[in-house]
């Protein structure tokens, strides 16, 4: 009896193993084989096109029992039309198997070999899933600045989106609806189209030379006049006037407008920077738009009813309420070597009369050299010096410290600036705790806001008119108004106020955008981020990159 148990036990074990192995799916064998190869991690190419949407393709075909999905030629036609159209959004149709599909998708495949039908079905599905992902999330992963080819970021179940689009026969409109809904995005698309019409225009470089002022006569003025007319800054110019070499009243109006929308001093003087902006090629302008269209695709579908946007490259903050810009002001952002990062969060509380605990890096790199050269610096600006941290912290008389002996590896102190008019954070800071230790704050250095390029901080965002923003953000927090803010400031004691409802804040980097007046704005790429983003955006699916022309040879500094 004892010997008979082993064969029975072995039989049961084998039976369990058989039922533990999933049965091979029923359906189109070609689909099953290719999906299994994808799941196993093999690179799968069909019709000379590699399949990329591994997980989404698997879920899509599993859900439909491994049957063909694109038998309706109208669905294939709509997909091809949608792929062709994304060139207007700054995306490359070839990334979505356009060449392969253009040759096959519109043909009658009823009499074609089953293998061809299967392969085409897979390519069509892969194209839709990739394009849907790129329109909805962006092609480039903002955290790595690499092109995203998996189509597996799960903000939306794209395989479900594909199933619904095929069932309803709405492939084209479904893909269109995945684009950012913001009017600002679609306005940029329209301006991109208009700039595309200028690519074939004669665009000779306007040569450098002495600055041109109102009333001057210069042989470069006809080219300047034609350039401004093409870009829409000068209207109503007669053919006769276009050849005049005199800086007249029409130019005196058009040139400051052009300068202002390029972030230049609108003084009407055509100097080096204005000539550089005038010489920017239509294609270079289109590249700028492409980079910023991609940045829009990184943002969530809805920014909220009330939110704050800081445009780092534009040195501006905007508060939006119910879709309307109700407040805007100038800001100061991080220096090129201490760049303000791009991210989103929520403003949760404000601190009036804040203290400033100097970050260790700033203590060593910025404060220590000043203290050594100016013994009265700490007292004059209201700093206290502490040894240790937390419960063991104790105040130290700065006069007892030999500051010449301190260094990066020997700095056992903390510097804390007390509330007051000289505090580096001013009298209020807006907190959205984040991994970068970035926040918005007041500043005593108000004169710096008169500068056009304001990359002057250590990373945080300084506000020109912080109390106007504070008053608006606290409008829905019980008991807080302008009078109470003034009373709190008068105490000179730190006070924390939690917002009744956190307000989303988006720190963005837009080098071109449409302003509320409908004017296309351009700004300098102060952190040199556009080029790297464009290289990633133009990277093909095999990992190659197409280089983008640029006006200078500065090295890439940082990603978005």
């Amino acid at each position: 009896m004892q010997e008979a148990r082993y064969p029975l036990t072995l039989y049961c074990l084998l039976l369990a193993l058989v039922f533990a192995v999933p049965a091979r799916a029923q359906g189109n064998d070609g689909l099953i084989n290719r999906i299994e190869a994808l799941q196993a991690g093999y690179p799968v190419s069909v019709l000379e096109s590699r399949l990329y949407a591994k997980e989404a393709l698997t879920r899509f075909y599993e859900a439909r029992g491994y049957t063909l999905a694109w038998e309706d030629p109208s669905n294939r036609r709509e997909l091809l039309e949608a792929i062709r159209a994304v060139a207007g959004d700054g995306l490359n149709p070839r990334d979505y198997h356009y060449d392969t599909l253009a040759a096959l998708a519109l043909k009658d495949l009823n009499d074609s070999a089953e293998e061809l039908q299967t392969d085409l079905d897979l390519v069509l599905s892969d194209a839709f899933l990739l394009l849907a992902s790129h329109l909805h999330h962006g092609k480039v992963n903002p955290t790595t600045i690499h092109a995203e080819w998996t189509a597996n970021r799960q903000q939306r179940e794209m395989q479900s989106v594909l199933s619904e689009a095929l069932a309803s026969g709405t492939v084209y409109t479904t893909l269109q609806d995945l684009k950012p809904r913001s009017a600002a995005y679609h306005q940029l698309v329209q301006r991109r189209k208009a700039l595309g019409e200028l690519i074939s225009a004669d665009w000779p470089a306007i040569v450098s030379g002495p600055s041109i002022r109102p009333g001057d006569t210069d042989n470069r003025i006809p080219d300047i006049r034609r350039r401004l007319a093409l870009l829409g800054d000068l209207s109503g110019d007669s053919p006769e006037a276009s050849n005049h070499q005199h800086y007249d009243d029409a130019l005196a109006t058009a040139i400051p407008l052009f300068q202002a929308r390029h972030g230049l001093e609108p003084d009407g003087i055509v100097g080096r920077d204005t000539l550089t902006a005038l010489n920017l090629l239509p294609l270079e302008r289109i590249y700028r738009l492409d980079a910023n269209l991609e940045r829009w695709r990184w943002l969530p579908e809805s920014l909220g009813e009330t939110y704050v946007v800081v445009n780092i490259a534009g040195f501006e903050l905007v508060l939006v309420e119910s879709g309307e810009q109700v407040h805007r002001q100038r800001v100061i952002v991080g220096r090129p070597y201490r760049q303000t990062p791009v991210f989103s969060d929520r403003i949760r509380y404000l601190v009036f009369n804040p203290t400033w605990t100097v970050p260790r890096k700033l203590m060593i790199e910025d404060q220590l050299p000043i203290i050594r050269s100016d013994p009265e610096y700490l007292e004059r600006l209201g700093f206290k010096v502490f040894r240790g941290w937390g419960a063991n912290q104790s105040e130290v008389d700065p006069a007892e410290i030999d500051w010449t002996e301190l260094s990066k590896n020997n700095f056992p102190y903390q510097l804390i600036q007390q509330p007051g008019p000289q505090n580096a954070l001013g009298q209020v800071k807006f907190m959205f705790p984040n991994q970068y230790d970035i926040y918005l704050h007041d500043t005593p250095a108000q004169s710096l806001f008169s500068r056009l390029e304001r990359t002057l901080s250590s990373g945080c965002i300084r506000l020109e008119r912080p109390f106007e923003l504070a008053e608006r953000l606290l409008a829905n927090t019980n008991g807080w108004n302008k009078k109470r803010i003034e009373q709190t400031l008068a105490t000179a004691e730190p006070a924390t106020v939690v917002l009744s409802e956190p307000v989303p804040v988006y720190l963005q980097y837009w080098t071109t955008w449409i302003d509320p007046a409908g004017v296309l704005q351009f700004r300098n790429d102060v952190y040199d981020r556009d080029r790297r983003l464009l290289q990633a955006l133009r990277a093909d699916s095999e990992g190659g990159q197409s280089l983008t022309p640029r006006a200078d040879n500065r090295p890439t500094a940082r990603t978005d």
Side-chain angles (χ1 to χ4, degrees):
M1 294 292 294
Q2 185 72 21
E3 296 180 17
R5 290 180 184 175
Y6 291 105
L8 180 61
T9 302
L10 182 60
Y11 172 76
C12 292
L13 180 59
L14 291 171
L15 191 63
L17 287 171
V18 168
F19 281 99
V21 176
R24 182 180 172 86
Q26 300 298 312
N28 183 295
D29 285 339
L31 285 175
I32 295 169
N33 291 336
R34 287 158 176 74
I35 294 298
E36 286 180 346
L38 278 174
Q39 290 176 311
Y42 295 110
V44 177
S45 294
V46 294
L47 302 178
E48 299 183 355
S49 294
R50 183 174 174 181
L51 303 179
Y52 291 95
K54 170 186 169 182
E55 294 178 16
L57 277 173
T58 299
R59 288 192 292 266
F60 173 68
Y61 282 108
E62 278 181 348
R64 57 183 298 109
Y66 294 93
T67 58
L68 299 180
W70 293 87
E71 294 172 312
D72 186 341
S74 64
N75 283 337
R76 302 198 297 265
R77 187 179 303 110
E78 287 201 12
L79 177 60
L80 198 64
E81 183 181 354
I83 294 173
R84 188 185 302 115
V86 297
D89 294 82
L91 296 172
N92 186 352
R94 290 184 175 180
D95 288 339
Y96 314 103
H97 311 308
Y98 180 78
D99 293 342
T100 297
L101 297 179
L104 292 172
L106 303 184
K107 290 185 177 180
D108 183 357
L109 300 176
N110 291 331
D111 297 327
S112 301
E114 181 179 344
E115 183 178 5
L116 176 59
Q117 294 184 46
T118 299
D119 288 350
L120 180 60
D121 209 85
L122 281 162
V123 175
L124 287 161
S125 296
D126 194 64
F128 181 99
L129 293 167
L130 276 178
L131 180 54
S133 179
H134 290 176
L135 288 174
H136 191 59
H137 312 310
K139 174 184 173 181
V140 178
N141 187 327
T143 62
T144 63
I145 306 298
H146 295 308
E148 175 65 79
W149 295 108
T150 62
N152 296 325
R153 280 180 278 170
Q154 292 303 308
Q155 293 181 34
R156 289 281 293 271
E157 294 286 342
M158 289 306 174
Q159 69 276 3
S160 299
V161 174
L162 172 54
S163 296
E164 294 169 8
L166 290 170
S168 59
T170 56
V171 170
Y172 182 86
T173 55
T174 295
L175 288 168
Q176 292 296 309
D177 290 344
L178 290 171
K179 297 178 183 180
R181 297 176 182 176
S182 170
Y185 177 89
H186 294 279
Q187 288 172 334
L188 280 180
V189 170
Q190 291 302 312
R191 297 306 174 89
R192 187 188 190 281
K193 181 180 179 181
L195 283 169
E197 296 173 357
L198 297 181
I199 289 178
S200 60
D202 186 25
W203 210 269
I206 302 172
V207 298
S208 60
S211 296
I212 307 173
R213 291 173 166 78
D216 285 353
T217 298
D218 194 289
N219 59 11
R220 294 170 291 173
I221 285 179
D223 284 336
I224 292 172
R225 193 185 302 276
R226 283 190 287 270
R227 188 68 44 84
L228 291 170
L230 286 170
L231 292 172
D233 296 283
L234 178 64
S235 60
D237 222 13
S238 67
E240 295 80 12
S242 65
N243 291 318
H244 288 179
Q245 298 185 4
H246 179 66
Y247 190 139
D248 58 14
D249 291 343
L251 280 183
T253 299
I255 288 176
L257 293 175
F258 174 86
Q259 291 171 323
R261 73 183 187 92
H262 287 79
L264 304 172
E265 186 67 48
D267 55 13
I269 300 171
V270 183
R272 181 186 59 187
D273 292 342
T274 300
L275 279 177
T276 298
L278 285 166
N279 280 325
L280 195 65
L281 297 171
L283 187 59
E284 292 177 304
R285 292 176 181 273
I286 288 173
Y287 287 151
R288 293 272 189 93
L289 266 65
D290 289 350
N292 289 279
L293 287 169
E294 177 71 357
R295 291 179 176 121
W296 271 104
R297 292 189 285 263
W298 292 342
L299 288 170
E301 291 184 69
S302 173
L303 301 183
E305 280 294 307
T306 297
Y307 58 90
V308 172
V309 175
V310 175
N311 181 4
I312 298 167
F315 310 112
E316 185 176 59
L317 176 147
V318 173
L319 172 64
V320 175
E321 295 177 353
S322 301
E324 297 293 328
Q325 294 186 6
V326 298
H327 173 76
R328 61 195 313 122
Q329 60 175 286
R330 291 178 288 189
V331 302
I332 291 169
V333 300
R335 299 178 179 91
Y337 59 90
R338 286 180 182 161
Q339 297 180 15
T340 300
V342 169
F343 68 100
S344 304
D345 212 298
R346 294 191 298 169
I347 300 174
R348 302 171 190 274
Y349 63 95
L350 279 62
V351 179
F352 292 106
N353 300 318
T355 60
W356 181 43
T357 300
V358 185
R360 180 173 176 80
K361 182 177 181 180
L362 299 188
M363 282 193 295
I364 296 166
E365 294 183 2
D366 294 1
Q367 301 293 327
L368 184 55
I370 298 175
I371 297 169
R372 286 171 174 167
S373 63
D374 183 358
E376 306 300 322
Y377 171 77
L378 292 174
E379 181 179 358
R380 188 171 65 252
L381 271 71
F383 282 98
K384 289 185 177 182
V385 182
F386 295 86
R387 180 190 291 273
W389 288 262
N392 298 321
Q393 186 181 76
S394 60
E395 187 174 352
V396 179
D397 183 348
E400 298 177 356
I401 300 172
D402 185 353
W403 296 97
T404 62
E405 293 295 318
L406 300 182
S407 65
K408 177 180 179 180
N409 298 319
N410 177 31
F411 201 103
Y413 303 107
Q414 276 191 314
L415 302 180
I416 300 179
Q417 192 177 26
Q418 303 306 297
Q422 296 298 320
N423 190 286
L425 305 184
Q427 292 180 284
V428 63
K429 62 179 180 178
F430 303 75
M431 300 302 293
F432 38 103
N434 57 80
Q435 62 179 313
Y436 309 103
D437 198 23
I438 295 295
Y439 44 88
L440 314 178
H441 66 86
D442 182 20
T443 176
Q446 287 291 308
S447 63
L448 297 179
F449 289 102
S450 62
R451 299 189 185 185
L452 289 174
E453 191 166 293
R454 295 185 292 277
T455 51
L456 303 167
S457 82
S458 295
C460 288
I461 297 100
R462 304 179 195 172
L463 307 182
E464 181 184 24
R465 305 192 312 278
F467 298 107
E468 292 182 26
L469 179 64
E471 188 177 347
R472 283 189 171 275
L473 294 183
L474 289 172
N476 296 322
T477 299
N478 289 338
W480 282 93
N481 52 32
K482 183 176 182 179
K483 182 177 180 180
R484 186 171 179 185
I485 291 173
E486 292 173 347
Q487 291 172 341
T488 301
L489 293 174
T491 69
E493 294 293 328
T496 297
V497 185
V498 178
L499 296 181
S500 60
E501 186 172 337
V503 175
V505 57
Y506 302 93
L507 274 57
Q508 296 301 304
Y509 187 87
W510 286 318
T511 53
T512 182
W513 70 95
I514 307 295
D515 71 13
V519 176
L520 178 60
Q521 298 283 334
F522 287 90
R523 292 296 184 273
N524 287 337
D525 182 12
V526 291
Y527 290 166
D528 202 16
R529 292 179 175 178
D530 279 357
R531 185 170 187 256
R532 187 175 178 193
L533 173 54
L534 284 165
Q535 286 181 323
L537 192 60
R538 308 226 184 287
D540 62 34
S541 56
E542 301 303 320
Q545 294 185 339
S546 58
L547 297 178
T548 301
R550 57 179 298 161
D552 58 66
N553 295 312
R554 289 176 297 162
T556 299
R558 183 185 173 105
T559 71
D560 275 74

